[in-house]
Amino acid sequence: MSPPLRIGLAGLGTVGAGVVRLLEANAALVASRAGRAIAVSAVSARDRSRERGVDLAAFAWEDDAGRLATRADVDVVVELVGGADGPALTLARETLSAGRPLVTANKAMLAHHGLELASLSDETGASLRFEAAVAGGIPVIKGLREGAAANHLASVHGILNGTCNYILTRMAAEGLEFADVLEDAQRLGFAEADPSFDIDGIDAAHKLAILASLAFGARPDFPAVAVEGIRGVALVDIREAARLGHEIRLVGRAQRLGDALAQSVTPCLVPRPHPLAAVVGPLNAVVAEGDFVGRLTFTGRGAGAGPTASAVVADLIAIARGEAGPAFSMPAAQLAALPPAPAAARSGRFYIRLQVLDRPGVLADLTASLRDAGVSIESLVQPAPNPDGTALVVMVTHESAEPSVRGAVAAMARLEAVAGAPLLMPILPLEE
Amino acid sequence: MSPPLRIGLAGLGTVGAGVVRLLEANAALVASRAGRAIAVSAVSARDRSRERGVDLAAFAWEDDAGRLATRADVDVVVELVGGADGPALTLARETLSAGRPLVTANKAMLAHHGLELASLSDETGASLRFEAAVAGGIPVIKGLREGAAANHLASVHGILNGTCNYILTRMAAEGLEFADVLEDAQRLGFAEADPSFDIDGIDAAHKLAILASLAFGARPDFPAVAVEGIRGVALVDIREAARLGHEIRLVGRAQRLGDALAQSVTPCLVPRPHPLAAVVGPLNAVVAEGDFVGRLTFTGRGAGAGPTASAVVADLIAIARGEAGPAFSMPAAQLAALPPAPAAARSGRFYIRLQVLDRPGVLADLTASLRDAGVSIESLVQPAPNPDGTALVVMVTHESAEPSVRGAVAAMARLEAVAGAPLLMPILPLEE
């Protein structure tokens, strides 16, 4: 058997400790699958004294993670520091520049600097792998990069943030409002103390930018992702969606539209028979539509120490086996700079919910706004008014250009009788 | 760019023609992902003159597929001839012996001769890949072999035969009996003229033996799979299962039980929240439970020219990239010879359905059979009797050892008041 593959591990949070635990617990299995042992030789983290539930005594300690890039007893660097820039990016650049393979779970860094790092990897021949960056333990990077490699993909959709999915599905199951579930999720550890990265859709957008790059052979382009989180989704929306046969999910969605790429993360109405509607709790799922393979769905746990460590070690096994294809499935120089799809190219059916003052003429004003924008209405529901003199209006549009619908909703929001911000959500088609 | 990877293609049925079409249609994409062009140079099939909808003029023709193993203008052989033995096996042996990589979709051959072929691959260093052999286009071989490689798996479950799933879900959706749907499926091309390979569970059992080998690092052991098809499932069973909150699916199931391996293919009651219950029509799905990753589910199209060609070409891309891990995820010499789990080690809840003569004392005899075998009953339902004087009895057992339940059912079958063969189906637990 070949000599062990020696790991320099930067970052000893939940995932880092999980990687140490997995490599210990499943050492023999990992060695048979990798063709050689995989062993940590050096680690680095901010605080050496913190209790992590794993024994670090056998590993060399570096206060400066950057030194892992050049230590003589390290073959591969595992970067679990996090953050798009700063020490993580420095370590990634130094590792790949030194011709040393890098495994990372850092979606923010890849979404922002993926092209640079992939180019560096191509230049030096050092493998860059990041299965753990998207959808935790689900081998979806491998699934797109290799499994579906022979296909032109029409679209990729995903539930990419477990916190949002946990909140939305608990709201639905227990009839609770967003704020109450969020508070409980924070107490239970399903949401961060500062949850904005998750619930405002940024985390899902990082992951989507990576998936879109792999799926379409395009440069990762995070700034082009249209992002909207789930703060605006109320229990009433979940109930109205259910009445329409839909679930509400935060969906990351990338589609090739002609020569352009449409990327968005937004709460959507998902029809019940769509595979993403069945994804509940903290699970993640990715649906890809290929020209030969048809629809592929990958589902599993999108976060947590175990699943993420499983993905990190899968990458290490591939490196140990000498399998080192290009980071984004083709050489960085061949990745297309696809322009973002113009808003006018995006169309679909939409759900619009407004709170209005319950007085005559309001519906006429609302429907006039849609008519003026050239948007036709598939259904309109106005349940009984609330005791406070407001009423709810829920509309579903026919297939319409997104800018027209947005224009109509903006016009409605300016009406004196409309109270609070309207909520606009795309309705996912069953197939696309 | 490196010189093209030259393919010798044996077998030009639906899948073979699909591979030719895919390599033509997506040539540029495949080349960027593979790092080199992939081009067919020689083909072989039984009948040269048959119209296949693809132009073969550019390819050399071999009447004898075996010659592809040694032709100087072939780098990789793609075996799509089919059949566990005969020309397919000869070609596989000759190809690997010649040190030439082999891509195959031949589940029967791998289920029966997988260990021999994997050993040959290890000896000569020629890659053996078979993504297309299980679950068509779904990258589940890659998912287990590489994606979940760091995990000890507790179990693998799958819906592995699209024909059976199509029949069972159409029976449920349209309230039809087995024979009627089968006939219609044959007319529509979803079932073969001789459907026994599919509906008797053999095809699914071949695939399960391959999955189990990958999942548990064990030698493929097809003869150890307990196989039962779907001929015995009646519409009434689907209705009774629905009343109990379950769907009926033909499930391939492999579990590690201590040092042994339990493998079965059998119609099962699947609880509605289980991911396999949502798999409808000709789709396939595989669910694996890993110690770190948790539950992974892969879903997609399990057959057909497009999906299968997608899987074949994914393997060719991996070979073009030089990625050639061991066939069953570890060297053949390290694959364990796990003994089949003794029947007594298998336990669970069971569904029993009988047709009985509607007369006093029958239920007492039935329940006595269960009592004598030490099996306790969770529920018993006897709907109103039929006009012909027979009645249906449906029982659900508590968790019991399988041999006890089988013994009780055999005793019931011997009762004079029991008409026709009883049907026994395991009830899949929601988690295991």
Side-chain angles (χ1 to χ4, degrees):
Chain A
M1 200 177 270
S2 318
L5 185 76
R6 297 163 306 170
I7 308 304
L9 179 58
L12 285 168
T14 318
V15 176
V19 169
V20 171
R21 244 191 312 273
L22 193 165
L23 288 175
E24 255 174 46
N26 292 357
L29 178 79
V30 167
S32 346
R33 294 208 159 135
R36 54 205 280 208
I38 298 182
V40 175
S41 51
V43 297
S44 175
R46 261 185 308 220
D47 177 1
R48 188 167 185 173
S49 61
R50 203 179 119 201
E51 178 47 46
R52 299 178 166 93
V54 289
D55 183 6
L56 304 175
F59 314 140
W61 180 272
E62 288 285 2
D63 283 318
D64 172 12
R67 299 237 328 119
L68 299 174
T70 50
R71 274 184 73 102
D73 60 356
V74 166
D75 301 310
V76 179
V77 172
V78 175
E79 184 278 303
L80 302 171
V81 173
D85 302 281
L89 183 59
T90 305
L91 175 61
R93 285 175 174 151
E94 287 176 357
T95 300
L96 293 170
S97 297
R100 188 165 280 186
L102 178 75
V103 173
T104 175
N106 192 332
K107 48 241 173 196
M109 179 175 78
L110 291 163
H112 286 280
H113 305 290
L115 184 65
E116 178 203 328
L117 296 176
S119 306
L120 205 50
S121 157
D122 290 345
E123 263 168 50
T124 65
S127 180
L128 167 62
R129 300 192 72 116
F130 44 84
E131 186 62 72
V134 180
I138 313 170
V140 63
I141 298 293
K142 193 173 281 292
L144 294 186
R145 206 183 88 117
E146 304 164 28
N151 291 264
H152 287 284
L153 297 190
S155 68
V156 182
H157 289 75
I159 292 178
L160 302 171
N161 184 276
T163 304
C164 288
N165 209 56
Y166 173 85
I167 292 175
L168 291 172
T169 55
R170 260 197 76 187
M171 287 171 71
E174 298 175 30
L176 296 170
E177 287 294 352
F178 174 77
D180 300 326
V181 179
L182 174 59
E183 202 177 308
D184 208 46
Q186 288 172 314
R187 203 175 47 75
L188 295 168
F190 284 109
E192 305 280 342
D194 175 2
S196 52
F197 221 62
D198 290 315
I199 66 178
D200 292 333
I202 312 297
D203 174 73
H206 286 147
K207 295 166 179 168
L208 182 73
I210 296 169
L211 286 183
S213 167
L214 281 162
F216 301 105
R219 300 179 179 176
D221 187 7
F222 173 72
V225 185
V227 188
E228 197 177 315
I230 63 167
R231 288 185 203 260
V233 178
L235 180 57
V236 66
D237 298 308
I238 290 177
R239 291 200 170 135
E240 289 300 313
R243 193 180 48 75
L244 295 161
H246 291 67
E247 305 285 344
I248 296 181
R249 296 283 181 265
L250 183 71
V251 177
R253 188 180 184 192
Q255 287 167 280
R256 182 96 192 217
L257 297 176
D259 284 335
L261 185 58
Q263 297 181 76
S264 63
V265 169
T266 164
C268 286
L269 269 69
V270 181
R272 291 250 168 78
H274 191 287
L276 293 184
V279 178
V280 295
L283 293 181
N284 278 198
V286 172
V287 177
E289 311 269 357
D291 56 352
F292 277 77
V293 76
R295 175 180 277 178
L296 288 177
T297 304
F298 304 86
T299 312
R301 289 162 62 189
T308 313
S310 168
V312 166
V313 178
D315 280 347
L316 291 172
I317 290 173
I319 288 169
R321 281 174 171 174
E323 298 179 356
F328 290 98
S329 93
M330 55 183 71
Q334 289 177 33
L335 293 170
L338 295 183
R346 303 160 74 138
S347 68
R349 293 164 65 236
F350 290 86
Y351 166 99
I352 304 167
R353 182 258 299 162
L354 307 106
Q355 198 78 12
V356 299
L357 303 181
D358 181 34
R359 62 191 196 199
V362 173
L363 281 194
D365 291 345
L366 295 177
T367 52
S369 300
L370 287 162
R371 179 204 58 208
D372 294 349
V375 175
S376 69
I377 301 177
E378 183 181 303
S379 71
L380 183 153
V381 176
Q382 185 177 29
N386 303 318
D388 68 356
T390 64
L392 198 75
V393 177
V394 170
M395 289 177 281
V396 170
T397 74
H398 280 293
E399 180 88 15
S400 310
E402 185 174 323
S404 308
V405 179
R406 291 205 177 274
V409 171
M412 292 182 209
R414 286 190 297 268
L415 295 173
E416 197 208 329
V418 170
L423 179 70
L424 175 67
M425 290 189 283
I427 301 176
L428 220 58
L430 200 49
E431 312 258 344
E432 71 181 343
Chain B
M1 201 178 269
S2 318
L5 185 76
R6 297 164 304 172
I7 308 304
L9 179 58
L12 285 168
T14 318
V15 176
V19 169
V20 171
R21 243 192 312 274
L22 194 165
L23 288 174
E24 254 174 47
N26 291 358
L29 177 79
V30 167
S32 338
R33 295 210 157 133
R36 54 206 279 208
I38 298 182
V40 174
S41 50
V43 297
S44 175
R46 260 184 309 218
D47 178 2
R48 187 167 186 173
S49 62
R50 202 179 120 202
E51 178 48 46
R52 299 177 165 93
V54 290
D55 184 6
L56 304 175
F59 315 139
W61 180 272
E62 289 285 3
D63 283 318
D64 172 12
R67 299 238 329 120
L68 299 174
T70 50
R71 272 185 74 101
D73 60 356
V74 166
D75 301 311
V76 179
V77 172
V78 175
E79 183 278 302
L80 302 170
V81 173
D85 302 279
L89 183 60
T90 306
L91 176 61
R93 286 175 173 151
E94 288 176 357
T95 301
L96 293 170
S97 297
R100 188 165 281 187
L102 178 76
V103 173
T104 175
N106 191 332
K107 48 242 173 198
M109 179 176 76
L110 291 162
H112 286 278
H113 306 290
L115 183 66
E116 178 203 328
L117 296 175
S119 306
L120 205 49
S121 156
D122 290 347
E123 264 168 49
T124 64
S127 181
L128 167 62
R129 301 191 72 117
F130 45 83
E131 186 62 70
V134 180
I138 313 171
V140 63
I141 298 294
K142 193 174 279 294
L144 295 186
R145 205 183 89 117
E146 302 165 27
N151 291 264
H152 288 284
L153 297 190
S155 68
V156 183
H157 289 74
I159 291 177
L160 301 172
N161 184 277
T163 302
C164 288
N165 209 56
Y166 173 86
I167 292 175
L168 290 172
T169 56
R170 261 197 76 187
M171 287 171 71
E174 299 175 29
L176 296 171
E177 286 293 353
F178 174 77
D180 301 326
V181 179
L182 174 59
E183 202 177 309
D184 207 45
Q186 287 172 314
R187 204 177 46 76
L188 295 168
F190 284 109
E192 306 280 342
D194 175 1
S196 53
F197 221 62
D198 291 315
I199 65 177
D200 292 333
I202 312 298
D203 173 75
H206 286 149
K207 295 167 180 167
L208 183 74
I210 297 170
L211 287 182
S213 167
L214 282 161
F216 301 106
R219 299 181 180 174
D221 187 7
F222 172 73
V225 184
V227 188
E228 197 177 314
I230 63 168
R231 290 185 201 258
V233 178
L235 180 57
V236 66
D237 298 307
I238 290 177
R239 291 203 168 131
E240 289 299 312
R243 195 181 47 75
L244 295 162
H246 291 65
E247 306 285 345
I248 297 181
R249 297 282 181 265
L250 184 71
V251 177
R253 189 179 184 192
Q255 287 168 280
R256 182 97 192 216
L257 296 176
D259 283 335
L261 185 58
Q263 297 181 77
S264 63
V265 168
T266 165
C268 287
L269 269 69
V270 181
R272 291 251 168 78
H274 192 287
L276 294 184
V279 178
V280 295
L283 293 181
N284 278 199
V286 172
V287 177
E289 311 268 356
D291 56 352
F292 277 78
V293 76
R295 174 180 279 178
L296 288 176
T297 304
F298 304 85
T299 312
R301 288 163 61 190
T308 312
S310 167
V312 167
V313 178
D315 280 347
L316 291 172
I317 290 174
I319 289 169
R321 282 175 170 174
E323 298 178 355
F328 289 98
S329 94
M330 55 182 70
Q334 290 176 33
L335 292 171
L338 296 182
R346 303 161 73 137
S347 68
R349 293 164 64 235
F350 290 85
Y351 166 99
I352 303 167
R353 181 260 298 162
L354 307 105
Q355 198 81 13
V356 299
L357 304 180
D358 181 34
R359 61 191 196 198
V362 173
L363 280 194
D365 290 345
L366 295 177
T367 52
S369 301
L370 288 161
R371 179 203 60 208
D372 295 347
V375 175
S376 69
I377 301 176
E378 184 182 303
S379 70
L380 183 153
V381 176
Q382 184 177 30
N386 303 317
D388 68 356
T390 63
L392 199 75
V393 177
V394 170
M395 290 179 280
V396 171
T397 74
H398 281 294
E399 179 88 16
S400 310
E402 186 175 321
S404 308
V405 179
R406 290 204 178 275
V409 171
M412 292 183 211
R414 285 190 297 269
L415 294 172
E416 195 209 327
V418 169
L423 180 69
L424 174 67
M425 290 189 282
I427 301 176
L428 219 58
L430 200 49
E431 313 257 344
E432 70 182 344

